């Protein structure tokens, strides 16, 4: 087991030094998994590989801002460029938000190919199925994270031929590198998740690994983020059958530095965002327009934000118990997604009930939630979604989805006397691929 984990570290070191991940030729002699325990060790490599999520979308979401003086001191050009939706996010030759998901895909493929090559005994069958389901989930999650950063948005019923990603369905690094269509990538993600749903355990004590609730929640998110609200609702309601728990924030002391803990009961699947300096700087402030959405009776203000005396409110709660931002799946996302889908389906009373069950754990002396019509319901739910699901990379997905539906959300950055704007549906919502990847493989670059 120790040898396999050391081999994981060797592969990680090999891949972390450059952006040209798809074109690297690692020596598989570094890893010699030959039994299910080896594959178990690979999938449990959570701290270095699997349970890390991209973060440049969160930097670009404009829920936070910094000063021009602080922006100029960021150690990586990636952070500076992501902040202004620039073209040179890869200028220093390192792009974790591209490399890390492809590391996850590679490791998942090693497990899937390895299990397929084994002669599985009847005693090992349950373990093999669980490991296969786990690998399928990790591969699908990685592709979904890549898709929302490096692919254009397309509704579920969009039949246009948009560019997707290179699909790596095996660990054979000699396979040709081409960009599949976006629809092919979506189909690949959904197929992996649908198969994983039948293989992962009903419950999983380790929140770094998937259970059926985890897979259902990601299926819900995948369909929801392409505006397929009917299918998202189907999966969301199945997830609700597991009675996902909520933390009563109104009962927690506002003075607690990290009131939630790492694996609290709202965590369905644990992952953290790539730890860029931008997130933890005392000169990263919460946007005033966002703060104005919270009322005086909202317990989230005291739990989410803190005044460090540097000129505005900073982020206080990381929802991980660590100096990291949460990038996984929480039960509050399930409640808000189901509520929005119900409202879009005209089921306003049910939508209000679901939302009220969340807000009674957030608002002191909550008044009953009722909606007169769908427009009022959606306006209310979307505001709550923005107030609740910040810090975790979801806002970037929502901006793409809502702007496609005509929301017309314009983002702005003020750097000294310069105002930088991101218009709705701009091609700059799609980050460029690493230039080294394009040069080595010849795949097409994203237009900017």
């Amino acid at each position: 087991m120790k040898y396999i984990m050391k081999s994981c570290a060797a592969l990680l070191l090999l891949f972390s030094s450059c952006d040209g991940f798809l074109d690297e030729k690692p020596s598989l002699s570094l890893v010699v998994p030959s039994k299910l325990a080896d594959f178990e060790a690979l999938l449990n490599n959570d701290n270095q590989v699997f349970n890390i999520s991209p973060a440049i979308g969160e930097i670009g979401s404009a829920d936070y801002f910094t000063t021009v003086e602080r922006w100029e001191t960021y150690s990586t050009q990636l952070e500076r460029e992501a902040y202004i939706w620039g073209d040179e996010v890869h200028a220093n030759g390192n792009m974790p938000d591209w490399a890390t998901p492809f590391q996850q895909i590679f490791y998942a493929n090693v497990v899937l190919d390895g299990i397929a090559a084994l002669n599985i005994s009847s005693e090992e069958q349950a373990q093999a199925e669980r490991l296969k389901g786990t690998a399928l989930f990790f591969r699908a999650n990685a592709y979904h994270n890549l898709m929302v950063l490096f692919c254009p948005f397309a509704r579920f019923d969009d039949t246009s031929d948009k560019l997707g990603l290179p699909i790596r369905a095996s660990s054979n690094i000699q396979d040709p590198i081409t960009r599949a269509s976006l629809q092919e990538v979506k189909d690949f993600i959904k197929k992996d998740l649908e198969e994983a749903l039948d293989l992962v355990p009903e419950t999983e004590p380790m929140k770094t690994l998937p259970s059926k609730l985890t897979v259902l929640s990601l299926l819900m998110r995948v369909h929801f983020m392409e505006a397929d609200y009917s299918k998202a609702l189907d999966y969301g309601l199945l997830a609700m059958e597991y009675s996902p728990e909520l933390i009563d924030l109104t009962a927690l002391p506002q003075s607690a530095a990290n009131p939630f803990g790492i694996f609290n009961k709202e965590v369905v699947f644990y992952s953290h965002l790539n730890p860029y300096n931008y997130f933890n700087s005392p000169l990263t402030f919460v946007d005033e327009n966002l703060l104005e959405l919270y009322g005086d009776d909202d317990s989230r203000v005291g739990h989410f934000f803190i005044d460090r005396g540097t000129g505005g409110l900073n982020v206080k709660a990381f929802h991980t118990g660590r100096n990291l931002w949460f990038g996984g799946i929480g039960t509050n996302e399930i409640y808000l997604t189901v509520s929005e889908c119900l409202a879009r389906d005209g089921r306003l009373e049910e939508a209000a009930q679901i939302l009220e069950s969340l807000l009674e754990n957030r608002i002191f002396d909550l008044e009953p939630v009722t909606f007169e019509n769908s427009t009022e319901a959606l306006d209310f739910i979307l505001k709550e979604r923005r107030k609740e699901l910040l810090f975790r990379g979801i806002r970037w997905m929502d901006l793409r989805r809502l702007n496609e539906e005509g929301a017309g959300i314009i983002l702005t950055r003020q750097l000294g006397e310069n105002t930088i704007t991101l218009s709705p549906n701009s091609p700059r919502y799609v980050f460029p691929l690493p230039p080294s990847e394009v040069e080595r493989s010849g795949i097409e670059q994203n237009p900017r």
Side-chain angles (χ1 to χ4, degrees):
M1 189 73 74
K2 289 181 180 179
Y3 176 76
I4 291 295
M5 297 310 291
K6 288 179 180 179
S7 298
C8 286
L11 270 181
L12 181 65
L13 179 63
L14 178 67
F15 284 126
S16 63
S17 60
C18 63
D19 284 331
F21 183 86
L22 295 172
D23 206 37
E24 287 299 304
K25 302 297 186 286
S27 170
L28 283 180
S29 64
L30 288 171
V31 176
V32 286
S34 60
K35 53 186 181 295
L36 291 182
D38 299 341
F39 300 123
E40 187 102 48
L42 286 173
L43 294 172
N44 282 331
N45 194 6
D46 61 310
N47 203 30
Q48 289 183 305
V49 178
F50 282 114
N51 299 87
I52 305 171
S53 301
I56 53 174
E58 186 65 21
I59 294 176
S61 70
D63 277 347
Y64 326 94
F65 68 93
T66 190
T67 64
V68 64
E69 294 81 12
R70 178 59 176 139
W71 177 80
E72 289 173 342
T73 66
Y74 286 134
S75 58
T76 67
Q77 189 158 337
L78 180 150
E79 291 176 85
R80 293 192 296 273
E81 289 290 295
Y83 184 79
I84 60 172
W85 317 293
D87 296 336
E88 306 298 327
V89 288
H90 309 278
N92 62 354
N94 185 27
M95 182 52 166
D97 287 5
W98 171 269
T100 299
F102 273 112
Q103 289 169 3
Q104 296 165 353
I105 291 163
F106 175 75
Y107 280 116
N109 283 334
V110 168
V111 172
L112 292 169
D113 291 348
I115 291 176
L118 291 179
N119 291 318
I120 305 297
S121 67
S122 57
E123 291 81 8
E124 297 174 317
Q125 189 64 36
Q127 183 187 10
E129 290 183 353
R130 174 175 57 81
L131 295 177
K132 180 180 179 181
T134 298
L136 288 168
F137 169 82
F138 280 137
R139 186 169 72 178
N141 187 52
Y143 265 115
H144 178 66
N145 286 335
L146 285 165
M147 186 180 70
V148 299
L149 294 177
F150 299 105
C151 295
F153 180 86
R155 282 175 49 91
F156 72 100
D157 52 1
D158 186 341
T159 58
S160 59
D161 191 22
K162 296 181 177 179
L163 282 173
L165 297 160
I167 292 179
R168 310 299 274 177
S170 80
S171 58
N172 182 2
I173 43 75
Q174 302 294 341
D175 288 347
I177 302 169
T178 59
R179 287 189 75 170
S181 72
L182 181 55
Q183 188 58 54
E184 288 173 324
V185 175
K186 288 183 176 184
D187 291 343
F188 189 73
I189 293 169
K190 292 168 188 174
K191 182 176 180 296
D192 272 2
L193 291 175
E194 288 161 3
E195 187 175 356
L197 186 59
D198 292 329
L199 299 173
V200 298
E202 194 75 20
T203 60
E204 169 55 64
M206 294 296 295
K207 294 191 176 185
T208 54
L209 297 171
S211 65
K212 289 199 186 303
L213 174 59
T214 314
V215 179
L216 286 170
S217 300
L218 186 55
L219 276 164
M220 175 194 71
R221 180 191 284 182
V222 166
H223 287 283
F224 182 74
M225 290 303 177
E226 64 175 10
D228 190 350
Y229 300 117
S230 177
K231 285 189 177 179
L233 180 59
D234 290 341
Y235 286 116
L237 291 175
L238 288 172
M240 290 295 291
E241 292 181 6
Y242 285 81
S243 301
E245 295 184 272
L246 295 165
I247 299 171
D248 185 0
L249 300 189
T250 67
L252 294 180
Q254 300 269 318
S255 59
N258 284 300
F260 310 123
I262 301 175
F263 302 127
N264 62 71
K265 62 184 180 181
E266 285 195 9
V267 175
V268 175
F269 171 67
Y270 176 84
S271 183
H272 65 78
L273 298 182
N274 268 320
Y276 295 123
N277 293 331
Y278 174 74
F279 296 130
N280 298 322
S281 169
L283 294 178
T284 296
F285 305 109
V286 182
D287 180 69
E288 291 295 331
N289 293 321
L290 172 57
L291 291 173
E292 289 176 0
L293 297 178
Y294 296 89
D296 295 336
D297 58 351
D298 198 322
S299 68
R300 289 172 292 195
V301 175
H303 290 305
F304 287 2
F305 313 119
I306 189 171
D307 186 351
R308 302 190 188 279
T310 52
L313 290 188
N314 309 109
V315 175
K316 170 187 176 183
F318 303 100
H319 213 59
T320 64
R322 304 172 177 173
N323 198 28
L324 298 165
W325 284 21
F326 184 65
I329 303 172
T331 59
N332 51 358
E333 181 184 350
I334 299 172
Y335 279 75
L336 284 159
T337 300
V338 170
S339 181
E340 183 177 335
C341 290
L342 286 168
R344 290 179 181 276
D345 194 40
R347 298 158 66 176
L348 302 186
E349 185 174 346
E350 294 171 82
Q353 289 174 350
I354 293 288
L355 187 61
E356 184 173 310
S357 62
L358 170 68
L359 293 183
E360 64 187 7
N361 291 283
R362 303 299 193 253
I363 310 297
F364 299 107
D365 301 320
L366 177 70
E367 297 290 332
V369 177
T370 59
F371 302 130
E372 294 294 326
N373 52 61
S374 294
T375 300
E376 178 189 355
L378 281 176
D379 182 64
F380 192 100
I381 294 167
L382 288 173
K383 284 180 181 177
E384 290 303 325
R385 185 176 179 88
R386 188 178 179 200
K387 290 155 62 179
E388 178 74 22
L389 300 181
L390 65 175
F391 315 153
R392 58 183 69 187
I394 289 178
R395 179 62 177 167
W396 190 254
M397 303 183 210
D398 277 341
L399 286 167
R400 287 160 47 104
R401 172 178 68 96
L402 296 172
N403 277 332
E404 181 71 16
E405 296 179 343
I409 302 169
I410 299 173
L411 304 184
T412 60
R413 294 294 199 194
Q414 194 69 37
L415 287 177
E417 297 180 356
N418 297 321
T419 301
I420 303 152
T421 300
L422 183 66
S423 60
N425 306 316
S426 166
R428 292 181 180 271
Y429 269 105
V430 185
F431 289 96
L433 306 185
S436 58
E437 205 76 87
V438 174
E439 292 168 7
R440 292 174 182 178
S441 65
I443 57 178
E444 186 174 344
Q445 180 60 279
N446 288 327
R448 297 283 284 176

